[in-house]
Amino acid sequence: MKSHKSYAIALLIAVSFTLITNGQTWAEENTQTIKKELRAVKTEQPPTIDGVLDDTCWQDAPQATGFTDERTEKPAKNQTVAQIVYTDTAIYVAVHLYDDMPDKIVARQTKDQTRIRGEDSVSFSLDPFHTHQFSDRNFFIVNPLGTKYAHLATGRAEKSEWIGLWKTAAKIVDDGWVVEMEIPWQMLDYPDTKEPIQMGINVDRLQQRTGEKSWWCNLGVNEFRENDGHWIDVLPPPRKRELKVLPYLIGGISETETNEREYTARAGADLRYEVTPQLRLISTANPDFENIEQAVEGIDFSYGERYVPDRRPFFSEGSNVYRLGQLFHSRRIMDMDGGLKLFGKIGKNTSVGTLGTYHRNNQNVILQASQSLTATSNISAAFLSHHQREEGFNNVGYLSGDVRHGKLLARSAIAQSQAGESNGRDGFANLIYQGQLVQPYVSVFFVDSDFVNRLGYHPFTGYRGLSLGSYFRNEWRDGFLRSLSLSVQSEASNTYEGEVFRRNLSIASGILTHSDYSLSVRWYGGQFEEFTDSLFAIRLGARASDRFNNVNISYTWGEQAGERIHRISGNFNLRAYDFTVGLTSQIQWHFERRYQQILTLTYDFSSALSLGSRLIWQADGVNIYFALRRSGYAGTDFFIILGDPNALEFRQRLVAKVIRAF
């Protein structure tokens, strides 16, 4: 038994060593010479951000032309022209997106800093350090209504003043639509230099009507970022360090279990300080997690713990730096009186991230460092420590690496835990071929029985095995079919005692039509420990790409965990006259009948001010809350909440919260 375990560990260490020692050579051999460049032009007359490209600065600015369909690798049917100029204050981007059917341009989203999906959009990306790593990449996305979404390199929370106050304007014109952007340098991380440098840039566009995604420099469907274009001879201004404070005040009244009134008042604050132009300190004191609407755990049957994402802003800040996967699940940190984060760059290719939280009963520390070896390879190391008063210390060390040579991607990681007398390991090694149409993979993995990580998401321990699979996807720009996908996945794993842990085979397929109907089917079968499973599922959808007006329904049936199972679920969303309604419903007949209905209602007085409600009706009880909120834009945010967003049953509770950035 130990020989197999030692062999697996040796294999993972060997793969990691190969990645680290050979990654740079492999990637440099594969890196393509990019010929698309855009000369940096500094202007003394910045444009007026009005969606009209008649400003003097645009007349002589170089143009980014020749956009390519990422799927067909042919010139895009509807071309795009982009231009960039800059001052010591901001970067200015102008984009003319030609469209031969401007009356069919799709634009729906009106709230800034909300993901723009299923509609026409354009994205300007900037890689100031020119590393070609996703973690150093900034995205600025705009739709034809001028609604904007920024994804900054390190990951930022949602308060506009913390993200940065950037401007956009967009107009639909006779031959397509036009966008202008103003992006302040101050919201970006970039090298501190006195000499002109080269930055990575790109522009991509989605045309919703045809499904065509086109790039200035084509990254392909897998987005190989080393193929970005170059912005040459740009001289960014000196970076000013900033100190921002985000205090909040809460006052409220609630009814206790003994029917007594309880008055509450509390205050707290977040602080953001730039230690260096590339290194940021975030701290929070007495954070308010109670009034943040968390994701709801589903009721679908699972042999292990279900994964539920975390929506708390403190943990999303700097999320691109803390890339730990299942090793860190922030919902494990339930209570904290204060927290501290320090993250950013200490060199062009070196990123660090630290996180610490304090509560009288538990303390947590995370230290991480990542090193980019080349545009297609990097290594990362981390240390996690959790201290619980009753349980003592739990420490985990982690090392990972990945490298891509052409379309072949290799990844590996290994973790070592220590908790009292337990000293277990967890690790994997993957090999993936990232083809244009087909992506096969193979993975080996193991988790020791005595591997303990109280900060991670590890539903099971004490098993090891192999998984194989492949994924196929293709798209068509016209005709009946818009896209077709097919996946086959399998796993064979045993316990350390040699007994069957899991034998799985999953076959799934899905289609999307140009009339926006979707159909997906899936069969899942195999064995989990002593149980034999066989499940069929079918799902139908209409207006599949429209996030505001859509409907879908699915039905699952078969046998799972030794019992017959039937599950009906569906989603319905509708927006009309500033009202948005969403209904998610699920009923499951298995060991017992379970049900869950989630109804959300929102009325938008404006893009910033809205009245919302969420009703959750399930076997555990019925909960409803109402919230009047002004958020997502510069200035004072406020929330007036009736009820408790995350309770199992309705609470008689009224809370007012005010947030102001300084």
Side-chain angles (χ1 to χ4, degrees):
M1 195 68 60
K2 289 188 176 180
S3 63
H4 290 296
K5 176 178 174 180
S6 300
Y7 176 76
I9 295 171
L11 176 62
L12 285 169
I13 293 174
V15 172
S16 299
F17 180 77
T18 301
L19 292 176
I20 295 169
T21 56
N22 296 330
Q24 184 167 355
T25 302
W26 287 358
E28 286 177 350
E29 289 175 353
N30 178 64
T31 300
Q32 300 179 23
T33 301
I34 306 302
K35 296 183 179 180
K36 282 196 173 183
E37 296 180 341
L38 210 62
R39 177 175 51 87
V41 173
K42 191 173 184 179
T43 181
E44 299 299 327
Q45 294 181 305
T48 301
I49 306 301
D50 56 7
V52 180
L53 306 185
D54 58 358
D55 304 274
T56 303
C57 64
W58 299 131
Q59 307 312 310
D60 299 321
Q63 296 183 338
T65 60
F67 278 61
T68 304
D69 185 319
E70 71 169 13
R71 175 66 64 174
T72 66
E73 299 184 341
K74 297 178 180 180
K77 181 180 179 181
N78 289 135
Q79 282 292 314
T80 304
V81 176
Q83 296 173 281
I84 307 172
V85 297
Y86 76 101
T87 66
D88 284 335
T89 304
I91 299 170
Y92 298 88
V93 182
V95 191
H96 195 138
L97 304 102
Y98 292 94
D99 197 314
D100 54 9
M101 302 177 72
D103 58 321
K104 294 189 176 181
I105 290 172
V106 181
R108 304 183 180 107
Q109 184 60 257
T110 58
K111 289 188 177 182
D112 285 349
Q113 210 49 31
T114 302
R115 270 289 187 182
I116 298 172
R117 297 189 181 96
E119 54 192 286
D120 285 68
S121 63
V122 63
S123 174
F124 167 67
S125 60
L126 180 68
D127 175 11
F129 292 92
H130 207 236
T131 64
H132 302 293
Q133 298 291 329
F134 179 81
S135 57
D136 291 331
R137 199 177 175 93
N138 304 275
F139 300 88
F140 301 91
I141 305 172
V142 185
N143 75 358
L145 300 177
T147 307
K148 57 187 185 292
Y149 177 85
H151 172 95
L152 299 187
T154 54
R156 301 265 178 100
E158 297 303 313
K159 189 70 175 102
S160 293
E161 287 90 340
W162 285 38
I163 297 169
L165 302 177
W166 62 297
K167 300 178 183 178
T168 64
K171 285 187 176 182
I172 296 177
V173 294
D174 291 341
D175 58 355
W177 55 293
V178 177
V179 168
E180 281 185 299
M181 308 182 197
E182 179 186 81
I183 304 167
W185 283 107
Q186 193 62 27
M187 69 187 295
L188 301 169
D189 291 349
Y190 53 84
D192 186 9
T193 177
K194 295 181 180 179
E195 299 294 330
I197 60 173
Q198 183 171 260
M199 295 184 177
I201 57 169
N202 216 332
V203 179
D204 65 275
R205 166 197 187 173
L206 175 66
Q207 188 179 61
Q208 176 58 26
R209 180 179 73 256
T210 62
E212 181 182 66
K213 185 173 183 179
S214 56
W215 296 81
W216 174 50
C217 293
N218 187 23
L219 304 189
V221 295
N222 295 301
E223 298 195 9
F224 294 152
R225 290 178 289 276
E226 70 272 19
N227 295 327
D228 268 335
H230 296 161
W231 195 25
I232 61 173
D233 295 330
V234 57
L235 182 59
R239 187 73 159 72
K240 298 176 182 178
R241 291 189 292 174
E242 291 184 328
L243 172 64
K244 294 182 180 180
V245 182
L246 193 71
Y248 76 84
L249 293 172
I250 291 179
I253 181 173
S254 60
E255 188 173 283
T256 66
E257 294 180 358
T258 57
N259 296 323
E260 296 180 354
R261 288 187 176 181
E262 182 179 70
Y263 296 90
T264 59
R266 58 183 295 194
D270 294 344
L271 179 144
R272 179 187 185 91
Y273 176 64
E274 294 176 353
V275 179
T276 72
Q278 295 86 33
L279 198 60
R280 230 164 242 102
L281 176 71
I282 305 292
S283 67
T284 184
N286 197 26
D288 173 38
F289 293 155
E290 186 179 17
N291 295 300
I292 296 171
E293 182 185 272
Q294 285 280 29
V296 181
E297 182 176 355
I299 62 169
D300 52 303
F301 177 79
S302 174
Y303 284 108
E305 176 192 10
R306 299 182 189 91
Y307 180 84
V308 183
D310 192 354
R311 295 177 177 173
R312 294 174 292 180
F314 174 76
F315 294 105
S316 66
E317 187 80 16
S319 57
N320 289 349
V321 177
Y322 304 93
R323 294 173 294 166
L324 295 172
Q326 292 184 327
L327 205 67
F328 176 53
H329 182 32
S330 55
R331 284 185 72 119
R332 297 292 188 221
I333 303 176
M334 300 296 295
D335 302 308
M336 52 183 280
D337 299 320
L340 190 69
K341 280 185 169 184
L342 180 67
F343 60 88
K345 283 188 169 293
I346 57 174
K348 176 182 177 180
N349 297 302
T350 307
S351 299
V352 296
T354 67
L355 181 151
T357 69
Y358 172 80
H359 184 265
R360 60 183 178 275
N361 293 323
N362 67 82
Q363 297 83 43
N364 304 280
V365 174
I366 297 176
L367 307 173
Q368 185 183 19
S370 298
Q371 178 70 31
S372 301
L373 302 176
T374 68
T376 58
S377 63
N378 64 75
I379 57 173
S380 181
F383 173 77
L384 298 85
S385 181
H386 169 78
H387 178 250
Q388 187 82 22
R389 179 176 295 181
E390 294 82 8
E391 298 174 337
F393 281 95
N394 171 211
N395 300 323
V396 178
Y398 175 76
L399 176 66
S400 68
D402 62 79
V403 61
R404 178 168 52 79
H405 177 56
K407 296 181 180 180
L408 193 62
L409 173 66
R411 290 175 173 161
S412 70
I414 188 166
Q416 170 78 57
S417 73
Q418 187 275 324
E421 299 298 321
S422 299
N423 291 279
R425 297 184 180 93
D426 174 9
F428 70 85
N430 298 339
L431 194 62
I432 308 166
Y433 178 77
Q434 297 180 304
Q436 184 83 349
L437 296 176
V438 181
Q439 299 189 17
Y441 71 88
V442 58
S443 176
V444 294
F445 52 85
F446 71 89
V447 187
D448 288 351
S449 302
D450 54 353
F451 178 77
V452 180
N453 178 15
R454 299 192 184 105
L455 287 178
Y457 174 73
H458 307 280
F460 304 102
T461 59
Y463 67 99
R464 57 193 171 195
L466 170 76
S467 65
L468 298 167
S470 186
Y471 179 76
F472 167 86
R473 179 180 172 86
N474 201 6
E475 298 177 4
W476 295 267
R477 302 309 181 208
D478 51 32
F480 174 73
L481 274 183
R482 178 166 176 161
S483 67
L484 168 67
S485 64
L486 175 66
S487 68
V488 179
Q489 301 179 70
S490 64
E491 177 185 325
S493 54
N494 290 343
T495 66
Y496 276 42
E497 290 73 30
E499 298 176 352
V500 171
F501 176 68
R502 188 183 281 135
R503 298 284 189 274
N504 285 345
L505 177 63
S506 173
I507 303 173
S509 181
I511 63 170
L512 177 65
T513 71
H514 274 283
S515 53
D516 221 13
Y517 290 96
S518 64
L519 168 66
S520 63
V521 293
R522 179 176 183 254
W523 176 79
Y524 167 88
Q527 183 179 352
F528 181 85
E529 296 182 343
E530 73 272 21
F531 297 112
T532 300
D533 298 337
S534 180
L535 293 172
F536 294 86
I538 184 169
R539 182 184 182 96
L540 296 167
R543 299 184 67 97
S545 64
D546 185 346
R547 64 183 298 174
F548 297 106
N549 299 279
N550 61 70
V551 61
N552 65 72
I553 186 169
S554 66
Y555 176 51
T556 302
W557 73 98
E559 183 173 316
Q560 195 166 26
E563 294 281 344
R564 296 294 296 174
I565 185 171
H566 299 271
R567 182 165 59 244
I568 299 175
S569 60
N571 297 88
F572 171 77
N573 294 283
L574 176 66
R575 185 171 73 169
Y577 304 105
D578 299 320
F579 277 100
T580 302
V581 180
L583 174 64
T584 300
S585 179
Q586 188 174 80
I587 304 175
Q588 179 174 272
W589 294 266
H590 196 202
F591 296 103
E592 58 185 6
R593 179 175 174 269
R594 301 192 66 193
Y595 57 88
Q596 182 183 79
Q597 329 294 336
I598 304 174
L599 175 66
T600 59
L601 297 169
T602 304
Y603 178 76
D604 295 322
F605 298 98
S606 68
S607 57
L609 181 64
S610 64
L611 176 65
S613 175
R614 183 173 75 174
L615 168 70
I616 304 175
W617 176 28
Q618 52 190 356
D620 296 329
V622 179
N623 183 40
I624 186 171
Y625 88 96
F626 301 88
L628 177 67
R629 56 171 71 93
R630 195 273 181 196
S631 62
Y633 290 77
T636 301
D637 285 0
F638 68 81
F639 303 82
I640 300 174
I641 302 172
L642 175 63
D644 185 340
N646 303 302
L648 292 176
E649 295 184 314
F650 174 72
R651 287 181 58 194
Q652 295 190 36
R653 173 179 177 267
L654 181 64
V655 171
K657 179 178 179 179
V658 179
I659 307 171
R660 175 71 183 181
F662 295 97

